[in-house]
Amino acid sequence: MEVNPILQNVLAPPVLFFLIGAVSVLFKSDLEIPAPLPKLFSLYLLLAIGFKGGIEIQKSGFSDQVLPTLSAAILMSLLIPLIGFLILRFKFDVFNSAAIAAAYGSISAVTFISAESFLDSQKIAFDGFMVGALALMESPAIIVGLLLVKFAAPKNRPKSRKMHLSAILHESLLNGSVYLLLSSLIVGFLTASSNPSGITKMEPFTGQLFYGAECFFLLDMGIVAAQRLPRLKNAGSFLIGFAIFMPLFNAFIGVFIARFLSLGPGNALLFVVLCASASYLAVPAAMRMTVPEAKSSYYISTTLGLTFPFNIVLGIPIYMSLVNTIIPLSPL
Amino acid sequence: MEVNPILQNVLAPPVLFFLIGAVSVLFKSDLEIPAPLPKLFSLYLLLAIGFKGGIEIQKSGFSDQVLPTLSAAILMSLLIPLIGFLILRFKFDVFNSAAIAAAYGSISAVTFISAESFLDSQKIAFDGFMVGALALMESPAIIVGLLLVKFAAPKNRPKSRKMHLSAILHESLLNGSVYLLLSSLIVGFLTASSNPSGITKMEPFTGQLFYGAECFFLLDMGIVAAQRLPRLKNAGSFLIGFAIFMPLFNAFIGVFIARFLSLGPGNALLFVVLCASASYLAVPAAMRMTVPEAKSSYYISTTLGLTFPFNIVLGIPIYMSLVNTIIPLSPL
Amino acid sequence: MEVNPILQNVLAPPVLFFLIGAVSVLFKSDLEIPAPLPKLFSLYLLLAIGFKGGIEIQKSGFSDQVLPTLSAAILMSLLIPLIGFLILRFKFDVFNSAAIAAAYGSISAVTFISAESFLDSQKIAFDGFMVGALALMESPAIIVGLLLVKFAAPKNRPKSRKMHLSAILHESLLNGSVYLLLSSLIVGFLTASSNPSGITKMEPFTGQLFYGAECFFLLDMGIVAAQRLPRLKNAGSFLIGFAIFMPLFNAFIGVFIARFLSLGPGNALLFVVLCASASYLAVPAAMRMTVPEAKSSYYISTTLGLTFPFNIVLGIPIYMSLVNTIIPLSPL
Amino acid sequence: MKRLDLIFSERELDAIIKTLEKANVPGYTVMKHATGRGPERVVTEDMEFTGLGANAHVIVFCEQELIDKMRDNIRDDLSYYGGVAYISEATPL
Amino acid sequence: MKRLDLIFSERELDAIIKTLEKANVPGYTVMKHATGRGPERVVTEDMEFTGLGANAHVIVFCEQELIDKMRDNIRDDLSYYGGVAYISEATPL
Amino acid sequence: MKRLDLIFSERELDAIIKTLEKANVPGYTVMKHATGRGPERVVTEDMEFTGLGANAHVIVFCEQELIDKMRDNIRDDLSYYGGVAYISEATPL
Ligand SMILES: Nc1ncnc2c1ncn2[C@@H]1O[C@H](COP(=O)(O)O)[C@@H](O)[C@H]1O
Ligand SMILES: Nc1ncnc2c1ncn2[C@@H]1O[C@H](COP(=O)(O)O)[C@@H](O)[C@H]1O
Ligand SMILES: Nc1ncnc2c1ncn2[C@@H]1O[C@H](COP(=O)(O)O)[C@@H](O)[C@H]1O
Ligand code: NA
Ligand code: NA
Ligand code: NA
């Protein structure tokens, strides 16, 4: 693995702004992006990703690769939480294990965006339907996590906390960020199919503005991640190790599946990044509501304080090297 | 009336995002656009409408049609509250009747924008000076509403609430949203006449971004409207009926006036929409301050919970059909 | 001095929106841009100025003029607080004198932007490296101000308030707005040198949107300034005089230095404006933390309530005339 | 010392502050963006964009006599637009 | 009269308001965006964008008997997700 | 139990929280964006964009002895930058 792609990744504006945010915390600058401004950018990014993804899916139609890729994506988001759960159970109770595992099975949209920006800067093509994979991978991990709690939780869990399937589906599909991404995807699809002039009129907002808004949001993510990082100390070295090992492990599985699916390098990277990234929006929100026994500081500090920065700064170029090494090998 | 234009209207991004917002409430999703973000978009939209309107008015100058149209607009915004008041008095006291009637006499800028977007998508031309009508129709209805209170209120109204003409003018002309729209219009006009390069430099902000910002704001309006709708139950069926009947009635008068003024179909639709739309910004704010006896839930729930969604989703295409039916008839 | 340039300046959208904001306060309109929306725009403007400045500096390289200009800029930001301090000591104690003087030694980024917009509209060229001067002039004045307090403060200042050099450097270099401007400049520089495609992708956000966002922010600045102005009455006529005299005095020194440096008229105006403008972001924040003895109403009301509007509306065209008069004179 | 809690529509804030200032209170604190419901069952939300806005919560620490001085004026303000006012004991630290 | 102060995660607001309404309180006030730390030393921040959100501070002025009526339900709500509830004296102005 | 109300400039928040943590309070709640006026008649606004910012309102429910322990430190913090601190009675629900 050369060092060049890492440096190239780090020298792109989104990653630089992320680092600026993180360094500001290190240096105790009082730079702050007060609430609810980060929410504005996170809503905007979800809306724009969804909308553009919907357009792309409508345009590209359901080619041969689409269905297998989307199925594999869902499969991974069901599988990863199970693996994660087994690993985490060595050290944590059912509640914490399930909540953390669900976060790693789900995805981080901003990590996905960063991978797209990386591919753009490397001039590597990828397909719009990968946003479909992004959207489809958010919820299943939540469902698996909650089912794990439902069936593995100690029998003396108070009655009020027994989860019904309807509550599980509600939390996984109607969580604000899941809902906005999915429904924006539908809006994009409908617009592309029945009102193409709407695409042009949305383009300055959802298209041109996107890169800058991404940078601004990553500036805040840098601040938030760096504030979270020190709290990991309390979480112990097991969890710290998990937060780095798990994305690498998932990426490794992911790259072989991508190869099996004969994905091109661009799509393969995005697939791998979806596997490797962990959720800090939908999953924590759902877990906070339904599994209050799990410590939010665990699943937030790992995903936001360590896995997210790792993926943004080092992970994406590492996964690219992985893709470039594994994919071109003689067929399986 | 064909169903096509309604479907076409509904399948445009702004209306789709409005519906997404409304559906999120229906499904109890926790999607939320926290305060003060909606204010950002409402300020932006008013500024951009005003600015662009000012430019258009300066460019088009005061043609033959301008003065009669603007006069008719003002006339309608004086007349509608009076009619509304008479109807509402069957069921409500002077305070509530005046407040609700004033809301229907005034206008909703976002409904106006949506009508413009609809015309754009139908490739029907309209004139920039119609924004002048928009700006001019905001205040008179407030004045009428407050005068109705002043003269029709029970004589035992506490002294502290006796309204002075100066207070009435202040509330109607210096209300935040009225002021921003009017003054942005002046800025646009001055820029166009003495600093045309400023137009080009503002264009990305006030022009290109507009459609996307409109969608984002409508997403929130969908949420707000759907939260308001159930409260109408307490308001009773009379008010629910009024909230649908009144815009249709106003549209009907409006279309005949438009025909009398020989407006083209684009301008006619905008005129009709101004008549049919009801205010949920300037009027409620003014009424809350000056007529505390009126229940804000009445004038907000009707305008925001029912009339606004009705106009956005069904009203605009219905009015278009009305325009297409009535306007081409042999001259009056 | 002709009146034309002043009128031309006033008729540009940014200044018009500033005036609209100020007039809304005068007329007691309830127009308000609620917190934290102004912070969004101030963060955006700093990020965009820095980013674009970094690109420009990378592009233009370090020409002959760059180093002398930047050195002169730093020199002025060290000198002005000293002069200001001596003047203010006639009326105020050490704490207030140092705090106010520091504000005038530092700069206002929005005044700088307004000067750039003015030059644009007058089609007068200027160099991107002047943003470097902007960035370099923020901190030294804070350091001088705090050193003045450190050495001139009464000996009985409580021990807890004795300032260490490290605290002084921290406050001057890591203040949120200083940090964001400086680090965005570095991001811009790095992007331009190693990732030029990033520039194109940022352009809609940092470039095209800039003028509109500037207008929006100035609308708020107009409101804030007009709210602050009446409080100056309590500050007394000495301080009111200072708030007008000091920028003019600094501009006068500045224009001769600009001539000495053989700056072109565009760069000269920017240099003069940097000297004449006063800080209402970095310096007040730093002084509030480290010199609580100084009345924040003094250094905020003067800079924000008087000096800022003066510079925006009248100052810039006056300085332009000054530049046009002094610079072309036979060499010194 | 007493603590006075006032909760009312943000739009009445200027009037209430004028009343406080006229009574020469030693200070006051304002928290905006409060929402709530009163006895008339009208729910106040934070719909700032409509200009309706939310409630303000004002806290005043002051002597009883000041409260007695302001009582009528505050009651007037609140009777016009609605809102609540409660007094409790408070000791300076 | 009593003053009841409830502080808990914003996401539980609907449940608490339901409890209050069921007890027929004369009114309540909600302040969102509160942050803090509880006995378990978990610091709550205003990370709205993550969907985790901050705390809500709810104030209810009401009679003691109403509080007695709500006590068990509120304790239930708070025992599930955490949060604190304190009562103090308050006199209407 | 006691309730301690602290109101002071947001920029001093870190120092105050450090004081609270050192005294081992069971918890605390922070509400930012408070504005107000103190005895020196300086009005604090929510001018976050200037870096000046507004006030923070901190509520601590704890035992009297803890308050006694913190008294000097809090007074120190507040004497430096200004702000107020009041104690009242509170009973857990
Ligand atoms: N009993 C109460 N306890 C707490 N807050 C109240 C109470 N009654 C009213 N309020 C607050 O005062 C505001 C105005 O009340 P009202 O004018 O009665 O609608 C409400 O929106 C609540 O925020
Ligand atoms: N002793 C306390 N004093 C003030 N606020 C508290 C106290 N304990 C808890 N809180 C608040 O209640 C929230 C939830 O507490 P907990 O569920 O114990 O984490 C905390 O984030 C604080 O805002
Ligand atoms: N008597 C008071 N009652 C309520 N709040 C106060 C009082 N005095 C001061 N404050 C608050 O404490 C802040 C700082 O006060 P000071 O340092 O005296 O300016 C003010 O901005 C108010 O928010
Ligand atoms: Na994953
Ligand atoms: Na109307
Ligand atoms: Na200066």
Side-chain angles (χ1 to χ4, degrees), chain B residues 77-78 81 98 101-106 137-146 283 287:
Chain B
S77 73
L78 296 169
Y104 282 83
S106 185
M137 282 181 84
E138 278 211 282
S139 303
I142 301 177
I143 298 177
V144 173
L146 296 183
V283 178
M287 292 301 148

Coordinates of all heavy atoms in Angstrom, one line a residue, chain B residues 77-78 81 98 101-106 137-146 283 287:
Chain B
S77 N -58.0 42.7 -1.4 CA -57.5 42.4 -0.1 C -58.3 43.3 0.9 O -58.2 43.1 2.1 CB -56.0 42.7 0.0 OG -55.8 44.1 0.0
L78 N -59.1 44.3 0.4 CA -60.0 45.0 1.3 C -61.3 44.3 1.4 O -62.0 44.3 2.4 CB -60.1 46.5 0.8 CG -58.9 47.3 0.8 CD1 -59.1 48.6 0.0 CD2 -58.5 47.6 2.2
P81 N -61.7 40.4 3.4 CA -61.9 40.3 4.8 C -63.4 40.7 5.2 O -63.9 40.2 6.2 CB -60.9 41.4 5.4 CG -60.0 41.6 4.3 CD -60.6 41.3 3.0
A98 N -62.9 38.7 12.9 CA -62.0 39.7 12.3 C -60.6 39.1 12.0 O -60.0 39.3 11.0 CB -61.9 40.9 13.2
A101 N -60.9 36.5 9.2 CA -61.2 37.1 7.9 C -59.9 37.9 7.4 O -59.7 37.8 6.2 CB -62.3 38.1 8.1
A102 N -59.2 38.5 8.3 CA -58.0 39.2 7.8 C -57.0 38.3 7.2 O -56.4 38.6 6.2 CB -57.4 40.0 9.0
A103 N -56.9 37.1 7.8 CA -55.9 36.1 7.3 C -56.2 35.7 5.9 O -55.4 35.6 5.0 CB -55.9 34.9 8.2
Y104 N -57.5 35.6 5.6 CA -57.9 35.2 4.2 C -57.9 36.3 3.3 O -57.7 36.1 2.0 CB -59.3 34.5 4.3 CG -59.2 33.1 4.8 CD1 -59.2 32.9 6.1 CD2 -59.1 32.1 3.9 CE1 -59.0 31.6 6.6 CE2 -58.9 30.8 4.3 CZ -58.9 30.5 5.7 OH -58.7 29.3 6.1
G105 N -58.0 37.6 3.7 CA -57.8 38.7 2.9 C -56.3 38.9 2.5 O -56.0 39.4 1.4
S106 N -55.4 38.5 3.4 CA -54.0 38.7 3.1 C -53.6 37.5 2.2 O -54.4 36.7 1.8 CB -53.2 38.8 4.4 OG -51.9 39.1 4.1
M137 N -50.8 43.2 -1.3 CA -51.9 42.6 -0.7 C -51.7 42.1 0.8 O -52.7 41.6 1.4 CB -52.4 41.4 -1.5 CG -53.2 41.8 -2.8 SD -53.7 40.3 -3.7 CE -55.2 39.9 -2.9
E138 N -50.5 42.2 1.3 CA -50.3 41.7 2.6 C -51.0 42.6 3.7 O -51.6 42.1 4.6 CB -48.8 41.7 2.9 CG -48.1 40.4 2.4 CD -47.0 40.0 3.2 OE1 -45.9 40.6 3.1 OE2 -47.1 39.0 4.0
S139 N -50.8 43.9 3.6 CA -51.2 44.8 4.7 C -52.6 45.2 4.7 O -53.2 45.3 5.8 CB -50.3 46.1 4.6 OG -48.9 45.7 4.7
P140 N -53.3 45.5 3.6 CA -54.6 46.1 3.7 C -55.5 45.2 4.5 O -56.4 45.7 5.3 CB -55.1 46.2 2.2 CG -53.8 46.3 1.4 CD -52.8 45.4 2.2
A141 N -55.4 43.9 4.3 CA -56.3 43.0 5.0 C -56.1 43.1 6.5 O -57.1 43.0 7.3 CB -56.1 41.6 4.6
I142 N -54.9 43.4 7.0 CA -54.6 43.6 8.4 C -55.4 44.8 8.9 O -56.0 44.8 9.9 CB -53.1 43.7 8.7 CG1 -52.4 42.4 8.2 CG2 -52.9 43.9 10.2 CD1 -50.9 42.4 8.4
I143 N -55.2 45.9 8.1 CA -55.9 47.1 8.4 C -57.4 46.9 8.6 O -58.0 47.3 9.5 CB -55.5 48.2 7.4 CG1 -54.0 48.4 7.4 CG2 -56.3 49.5 7.7 CD1 -53.6 49.5 6.4
V144 N -58.0 46.3 7.6 CA -59.4 46.0 7.6 C -59.8 45.2 8.9 O -60.7 45.6 9.6 CB -59.9 45.3 6.3 CG1 -61.4 44.9 6.5 CG2 -59.7 46.2 5.1
G145 N -59.0 44.2 9.1 CA -59.3 43.3 10.3 C -59.3 44.2 11.6 O -60.2 44.0 12.4
L146 N -58.3 45.0 11.7 CA -58.2 45.8 12.9 C -59.2 46.8 13.0 O -59.7 47.1 14.1 CB -56.7 46.4 13.1 CG -55.6 45.3 13.2 CD1 -54.3 46.0 13.3 CD2 -55.9 44.4 14.3
V283 N -50.4 38.1 9.2 CA -51.6 38.4 9.9 C -51.6 37.7 11.3 O -51.9 38.4 12.3 CB -52.8 37.9 9.0 CG1 -54.1 38.1 9.8 CG2 -52.8 38.6 7.7
M287 N -52.2 39.9 14.6 CA -53.4 39.6 15.4 C -53.1 39.2 16.8 O -53.7 39.6 17.8 CB -54.3 38.6 14.8 CG -54.9 39.0 13.4 SD -56.0 40.5 13.7 CE -55.7 41.3 12.1

